[in-house]
Each structure stands twice: as structure tokens, then as C-alpha cells.
């Protein structure tokens, strides 16, 4: 672990359970919907990325953002979030092009079809060349979470985003384009909370725990680049809890 991260972890009291922050994960955001017949292969790919060990080539943090604009069909995605739709629209404005599903955005900089495994893995490998980024940690403190952000250089600044998500759900889709299919979905985003602006200096942000079984922290620059990211580690009381729920409607 780098010295800066050890210092950040030491600032947290003994009741906290710090996230593993040895290396910044590459962030893969999938914009998807249960009503999109092209999305299940992309969902399966996100699931594989979520369960692959970090290994020698680094870590990946996949997050599935379920958009709302498919909900006019016969099937309403229970995980659809207006914040997911707004986030994808912001990427479309930055990166060019239209919004569609399944779309993957890698480290806030590259957009591509979310089921294109070769293209996605190439984009992840390219993103790793950017280096470790800004050190961040995310830890529990009772009913709150605490984010520690390290110092940047050269006028770095950005927003601190707390993402609540569920690691796994199985959904049987009864109507719409995916009628009759059972979809395995991973890292489903349940909430997006802006904790405030990071000015480039070392800082601490605290917040109530977000909706979702666990959480991640994203430090994102004004131009969309992901500068830092961390997962929230499970506390000892919940580390053995089941993370798969059945959603049948």
C-alpha cells in the first residue's frame, strides 16, 4: 500500500472498515435496461468483470446504471434511476453521439457498445496506462460513510460522488422485449449522491449511507475523467451476508 493511503487510513477511527485502496480500479459504467433485448449480453459481461480477480494487471470497478427511457414499454425496470439517465446524457454531451443501450463508458472518457468485450477490454487496458490517479478511500462510521481524498497537483479539481449499489440480482422479466428471460445482473446502481466539490487539496467528506447494499466512491473531474475510485469494504457483521436477491414481478 502506498504511504499516502496508509496515512489516510490511519486518520479513520478504529470503528471504520476502510476500503482496499492499493490500486485505483478502472471504472466501467454500463447504461442498460431490463427492457432492452440487446442488453443481457452486456449485463453478463459486467458480471464477469465484477467477479474477476484484480490480478497483476489491475482492478476494474463495473457499475450498471439502469436508465429510465425504456420504461414506456410493457416492462418497467425496477432499478431504473433518473440519475442514471441524466448521467448518460451528460456523457453524450461530452463524448458526442446519442444515448443508447447497452453503452459502456470507461473511466469517463471512452464510450462504446457495452457488449463489445474485445473493445471494452482494450479500453480498460488503455485506461490503466493513465496511472494510479488521486488516492481515495471510503469507510464506514456507524450509519455514515467517510471519504478521504488525497491531494492533487496542477490545479486538479472535481466532484466527489457516492454511488450506492447492489452486487447481484436475478430478475425474471415477464413482459416487453425480454419477456420470459431470467437476467443475472451485477453491481446495480441504486443511488447517486454528489458529496461536493474537491478543490485539489486533501479533504474529508462524510455522508449518510446511501441506498444500496454497498457503495463506491468516484472522484470525477469537470471534463468527465475519473480521477480516483474506491469500493466500500464490507463490515465484519455483514461480510458473509447473501448478496443475491430474487426479483420476480
Amino acid at each position: 500500500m502506498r504511504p499516502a493511503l496508509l496515512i489516510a487510513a490511519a486518520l479513520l477511527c478504529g470503528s471504520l472498515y476502510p476500503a482496499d485502496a492499493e490500486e485505483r480500479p478502472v471504472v466501467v459504467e454500463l447504461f442498460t435496461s431490463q427492457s432492452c433485448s440487446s442488453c443481457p449480453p452486456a449485463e453478463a459481461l459486467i458480471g464477469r468483470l465484477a467477479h474477476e480477480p484484480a490480478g497483476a494487471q489491475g482492478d476494474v470497478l463495473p457499475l450498471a446504471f439502469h436508465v429510465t427511457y425504456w420504461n414506456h414499454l410493457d416492462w418497467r425496470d425496477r432499478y431504473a434511476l433518473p440519475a442514471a439517465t441524466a448521467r448518460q446524457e451528460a456523457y453524450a454531451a461530452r463524448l458526442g453521439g446519442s444515448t443508447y443501450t447497452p453503452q459502456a463508458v470507461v473511466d469517463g472518457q471512452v464510450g462504446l457498445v457495452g457488449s463489445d468485450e474485445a473493445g471494452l477490454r482494450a479500453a480498460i487496458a488503455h485506461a490503466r496506462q493513465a496511472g494510479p490517479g488521486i488516492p481515495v478511500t471510503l469507510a464506514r462510521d456507524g450509519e455514515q460513510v467517510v471519504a478521504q481524498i488525497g491531494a492533487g497537483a496542477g490545479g486538479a479539481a472535481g466532484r466527489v460522488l457516492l454511488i450506492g449499489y447492489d452486487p447481484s440480482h436475478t430478475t425474471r422479466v415477464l413482459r416487453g422485449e425480454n419477456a420470459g428471460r431470467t437476467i443475472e445482473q451485477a453491481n446495480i446502481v441504486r443511488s447517486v449522491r454528489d458529496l461536493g466539490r474537491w478543490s485539489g487539496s486533501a479533504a474529508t467528506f462524510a455522508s449518510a449511507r446511501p441506498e444500496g447494499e454497498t457503495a463506491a466512491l468516484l472522484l470525477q473531474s469537470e471534463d468527465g475523467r475519473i480521477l480516483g475510485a474506491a469500493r466500500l469494504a464490507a463490515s465484519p457483521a455483514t461480510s458473509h451476508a447473501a448478496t443475491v436477491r430474487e426479483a420476480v414481478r
Side-chain angles (χ1 to χ4, degrees):
M1 183 178 287
R2 296 191 296 274
L5 297 182
L6 287 170
I7 293 170
L11 294 175
L12 301 174
C13 67
S15 64
L16 305 186
Y17 306 97
D20 181 1
E22 291 187 359
E23 182 173 355
R24 182 185 81 79
V26 173
V27 177
V28 175
E29 301 175 57
L30 175 69
F31 295 94
T32 185
S33 172
Q34 292 176 354
S35 291
C36 165
S37 61
S38 300
C39 287
E43 297 275 7
L45 176 54
I46 286 294
R48 291 195 296 275
L49 291 174
H51 291 99
E52 287 178 0
Q57 296 189 1
D59 190 12
V60 177
L61 172 59
L63 296 168
F65 288 83
H66 289 229
V67 297
T68 58
Y69 52 80
W70 280 94
N71 283 350
H72 66 281
L73 300 179
D74 288 343
W75 183 255
R76 187 181 187 282
D77 188 336
R78 66 173 295 187
Y79 305 119
L81 286 177
T85 304
R87 187 165 177 81
Q88 188 184 30
E89 290 173 347
Y91 276 133
R94 291 190 187 109
L95 303 176
S98 60
T99 58
Y100 64 92
T101 56
Q103 182 189 28
V105 177
V106 179
D107 262 1
Q109 299 182 78
V110 177
L112 70 162
V113 176
S115 55
D116 178 2
E117 183 163 2
L120 185 56
R121 291 189 182 275
I124 292 169
H126 180 75
R128 288 194 180 112
Q129 299 174 12
I134 306 299
V136 304
T137 61
L138 183 64
R140 301 176 192 272
D141 183 6
E143 293 304 310
Q144 288 193 318
V145 292
V146 177
Q148 296 278 350
I149 314 294
R159 308 298 301 185
V160 181
L161 303 177
L162 180 63
I163 310 295
Y165 67 96
D166 295 346
S168 180
H169 284 283
T170 301
T171 300
R172 183 184 176 194
V173 180
L174 301 181
R175 296 178 299 279
E177 289 191 1
N178 287 316
R181 301 183 72 166
T182 297
I183 306 175
E184 301 288 341
Q185 298 172 306
N187 290 15
I188 303 168
V189 172
R190 306 304 307 277
S191 59
V192 180
R193 186 178 301 163
D194 188 333
L195 300 187
R197 186 176 186 273
W198 172 71
S199 63
S201 301
T204 301
F205 296 81
S207 173
R209 292 175 60 179
E211 182 180 354
E213 295 173 15
T214 187
L217 188 77
L218 304 183
L219 178 61
Q220 189 163 29
S221 69
E222 301 297 339
D223 65 3
R225 291 177 298 128
I226 303 296
L227 302 176
R231 293 177 178 85
L232 180 69
S235 68
T238 61
S239 60
H240 299 294
T243 59
V244 179
R245 293 180 179 175
E246 185 75 14
V248 179
R249 298 185 298 285

